[in-house]
């Protein structure tokens, strides 16, 4: 606390000139002294620091990522003055595990064994770095959407300032760059890509992951590129790739197939998925275009013969007229 210079106004009254600068520790209060001099002092106030996340990342289920969280003074740009004993804490969103955090020099870092939190304890004082990176992994069982965690800085001088950080979580994608056209009774192949959300990046693998492709109706899968344990159903109705390691899944995957002569059309579609620890972490579909048309047979009363039917199949180029007579066969 220090006395401020006294000045006389035009009426000879005592006034005080008070310069309230650099009082970042708290609010300034002016109190009259016994000799008429105003004095200023700072009272501690919590919440003068700010947390901001420039960009919220999008990360697929079961994948890893990183983000930056800025910590500044109330002006949104200046570094926060630190002191020994300050504690900076980040708590992970539900379904997200923190794997690393940048703390800076003069600090000690602690990450919870389950990744639920990370702390930086200041041991030397000095300004805190503005930008702070957080690395994390998203659980395969996490909810999709925006998941929010917490941030806090506890200082003896200002109390505790709090904020948040977040991760957008989405399913990984199985997409088909182009849909092939294959004639009925013929064979073909197509490519299906396995990527992160938005079609970017590869998907990390874990031992036991199961990638499954079901065959569209009237289509039989004959082969698939796996690079790992491959299984194809005897009737070609499905094919799976089971991961035996932790290398990332290849993005592109080729599927060979045969279209039945009796398959419909014009577009036949089936689901595809990636399963990890009992949870779906990727979903999608793949399709085959054919020169066939789905046949709908509708019974129609035959006015000529009691109990007769007329079946019409349009699209495959034929008309079947079957007549049954009551008393004789013809």
């Amino acid at each position: 606390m220090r006395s401020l210079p006294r000045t006389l106004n035009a009426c000879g009254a005592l006034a005080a000139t008070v310069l309230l600068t650099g009082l970042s520790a708290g609010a300034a209060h002016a109190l009259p002294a016994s000799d008429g001099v105003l004095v200023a002092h700072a009272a501690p106030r919590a919440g003068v620091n700010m947390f901001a996340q420039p960009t919220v990342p999008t990360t697929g289920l079961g994948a890893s990522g990183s983000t930056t969280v800025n910590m500044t003074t109330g002006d949104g740009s200046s570094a926060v003055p630190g002191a020994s004993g300050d504690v900076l804490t980040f708590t992970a969103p539900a379904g997200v595990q923190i794997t690393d955090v940048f703390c800076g020099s003069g600090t000690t870092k602690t990450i919870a064994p389950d990744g639920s939190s990370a702390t930086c304890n200041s041991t030397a004082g000095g300004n805190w770095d503005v930008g702070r990176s957080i690395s994390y992994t998203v659980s395969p069982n996490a909810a999709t959407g925006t998941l929010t965690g917490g941030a806090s800085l506890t200082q003896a001088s200002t109390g505790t300032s709090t904020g948040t950080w977040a991760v957008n979580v989405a399913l990984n994608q199985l997409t088909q760059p182009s849909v092939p056209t294959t004639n009925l009774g013929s064979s073909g192949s197509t490519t299906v890509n396995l990527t992160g959300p938005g079609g970017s990046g590869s998907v990390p693998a874990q031992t036991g992951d199961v990638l499954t492709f079901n065959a569209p109706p009237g289509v039989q899968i004959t082969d698939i590129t796996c690079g790992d344990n491959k299984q194809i159903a005897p009737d070609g109705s499905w094919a799976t790739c089971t991961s035996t390691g932790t290398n990332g899944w290849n993005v592109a995957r080729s599927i060979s197939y045969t279209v039945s002569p009796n398959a419909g059309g014009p577009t036949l579609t089936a689901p595809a998925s990636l399963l990890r620890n009992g949870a779906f972490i990727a979903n999608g579909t793949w399709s085959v275009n054919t020169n066939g048309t789905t046949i709908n047979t509708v019974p129609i009363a035959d006015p000529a013969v009691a109990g007769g039917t007329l079946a019409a199949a349009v699209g495959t180029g034929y008309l079947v007229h079957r007549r049954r007579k009551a008393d004789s066969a013809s």
Side-chain angles (χ1 to χ4, degrees), residues 120-138:
C120 302
N121 293 273
S122 177
T123 57
N127 289 347
W128 285 94
D129 292 300
V130 171
R132 200 158 309 281
S133 64
I134 303 173
S135 300
Y136 59 85
T137 296
V138 177

Side-chain angles (χ1 to χ4, degrees), residues 119-213:
T119 58
C120 302
N121 293 273
S122 177
T123 57
N127 289 347
W128 285 94
D129 292 300
V130 171
R132 200 158 309 281
S133 64
I134 303 173
S135 300
Y136 59 85
T137 296
V138 177
S139 168
N141 299 301
T144 55
T146 301
L147 309 182
T148 302
S152 66
L153 176 65
T154 299
Q155 296 180 296
S157 59
T158 61
T160 299
S161 305
T162 61
T164 61
W165 65 287
V167 178
N168 293 324
V169 176
L171 278 166
N172 299 292
Q173 294 183 348
L174 283 156
T175 56
Q176 195 176 10
S178 61
V179 178
T181 297
T182 306
N183 291 335
L184 297 177
S186 301
S187 298
S189 64
T190 188
T191 298
V192 178
N193 292 337
L194 172 61
T195 64
S200 63
S202 61
V203 176
Q206 287 189 6
T207 301
D209 286 359
V210 180
L211 179 61
T212 301
F213 293 92

Side-chain angles (χ1 to χ4, degrees), residues 280-291:
F280 288 101
I281 65 171
N283 277 333
T285 60
W286 69 286
S287 301
V288 177
N289 292 327
T290 74
N291 62 338

Side-chain angles (χ1 to χ4, degrees), residues 5-321:
R6 290 181 295 177
T7 62
L8 292 178
N9 61 21
C11 298
L14 184 66
T17 302
V18 182
L19 302 177
L20 301 179
T21 60
L23 298 180
S24 60
H29 298 267
L31 299 176
S34 57
D35 61 353
V37 175
L38 295 183
V39 296
H41 77 279
R45 183 182 64 186
V48 299
N49 301 313
M50 298 175 60
F51 292 91
Q53 190 177 12
T55 303
V56 177
T58 297
T59 307
L61 291 169
S64 299
S66 63
T67 188
T68 297
V69 178
N70 293 335
M71 182 176 69
T72 63
T73 60
D75 64 10
S77 60
S78 301
V80 176
S84 180
D86 290 357
V87 180
L88 175 61
T89 302
F90 293 98
T91 56
V96 176
Q97 298 81 45
I98 296 174
T99 56
D100 199 9
V101 64
F102 171 75
C103 283
S105 60
T107 62
T108 58
K109 176 172 61 180
T110 303
I111 298 177
D114 62 356
S116 60
S117 65
T119 58
C120 302
N121 293 273
S122 177
T123 57
N127 289 347
W128 285 94
D129 292 300
V130 171
R132 200 158 309 281
S133 64
I134 303 173
S135 300
Y136 59 85
T137 296
V138 177
S139 168
N141 299 301
T144 55
T146 301
L147 309 182
T148 302
S152 66
L153 176 65
T154 299
Q155 296 180 296
S157 59
T158 61
T160 299
S161 305
T162 61
T164 61
W165 65 287
V167 178
N168 293 324
V169 176
L171 278 166
N172 299 292
Q173 294 183 348
L174 283 156
T175 56
Q176 195 176 10
S178 61
V179 178
T181 297
T182 306
N183 291 335
L184 297 177
S186 301
S187 298
S189 64
T190 188
T191 298
V192 178
N193 292 337
L194 172 61
T195 64
S200 63
S202 61
V203 176
Q206 287 189 6
T207 301
D209 286 359
V210 180
L211 179 61
T212 301
F213 293 92
N214 291 312
V219 176
Q220 298 79 46
I221 297 174
T222 56
D223 199 8
I224 185 172
T225 57
C226 276
D228 278 308
N229 187 29
K230 174 173 62 179
Q231 285 187 310
I232 299 176
D235 63 355
S237 61
W238 54 262
T240 61
C241 301
T242 302
S243 175
T244 58
T246 56
N247 294 328
W249 284 96
N250 293 329
V251 171
R253 200 157 307 277
S254 175
I255 304 174
S256 299
Y257 59 85
T258 296
V259 179
S260 168
N262 299 316
T267 301
L268 309 175
T269 301
S273 63
L274 178 61
L275 193 70
R276 176 175 298 169
N277 298 332
F280 288 101
I281 65 171
N283 277 333
T285 60
W286 69 286
S287 301
V288 177
N289 292 327
T290 74
N291 62 338
T293 301
T294 299
I295 303 171
N296 294 317
T297 301
V298 181
I300 303 174
D302 189 337
V305 179
T309 61
L310 178 67
V314 180
T316 54
Y318 63 88
L319 177 66
V320 177
H321 186 192

